Amino acid sequence: MSAAEVIVAEFRAFGAGLQRDKFCVRSALDIVDRCETSDVGILGIEGFYLTDTTTTPQFDHILDLSTGMKAYDVARQFLRHGEGLPLFYEFTFHG
């Protein structure tokens, strides 16, 4: 299991969605912190609205970090921008 998979597995109890891989902003911020301390690069973060039957991507809540995978502060700012919205976030990691 990769370092990124270990991090997601640690937070899966707080996750939503079919694979429990989408996280509220609080858990998402904790995941960014864990990535930083573990030196795991984040390629992107996508926001979704979830209901019992649908997962709807929010195209105005997508962060592409592929050119600066260790831009943890940028990731935190992005997540804080969505605070107060009922969004869940999914991560794409480097490696």
Side-chain angles (χ1 to χ4, degrees):
M1 203 182 298
S2 73
E5 290 170 329
V6 168
I7 291 169
V8 170
E10 289 175 18
F11 287 90
R12 193 157 271 138
F14 305 105
L18 291 177
Q19 297 179 352
R20 303 193 62 81
D21 60 351
K22 292 170 182 59
F23 302 93
C24 69
V25 69
R26 179 68 256 155
S27 294
L29 286 164
D30 289 342
I31 289 170
V32 171
D33 291 344
R34 184 66 56 86
C35 287
E36 185 173 27
T37 59
S38 301
D39 200 35
V40 171
I42 301 169
L43 290 173
I45 304 173
E46 297 180 54
F48 295 86
Y49 287 125
L50 302 178
T51 69
D52 290 339
T53 58
T54 62
T55 300
T56 307
Q58 297 304 298
F59 297 109
D60 55 340
H61 289 279
I62 296 174
L63 178 65
D64 179 1
L65 293 172
S66 59
T67 59
M69 296 175 298
K70 299 202 177 164
Y72 304 111
D73 288 334
V74 172
R76 286 183 193 96
Q77 290 172 6
F78 168 76
L79 292 168
R80 285 187 186 111
H81 177 72
E83 279 184 315
L85 298 174
L87 288 167
F88 287 81
Y89 296 94
E90 181 178 83
F91 289 81
T92 303
F93 300 99
H94 180 258

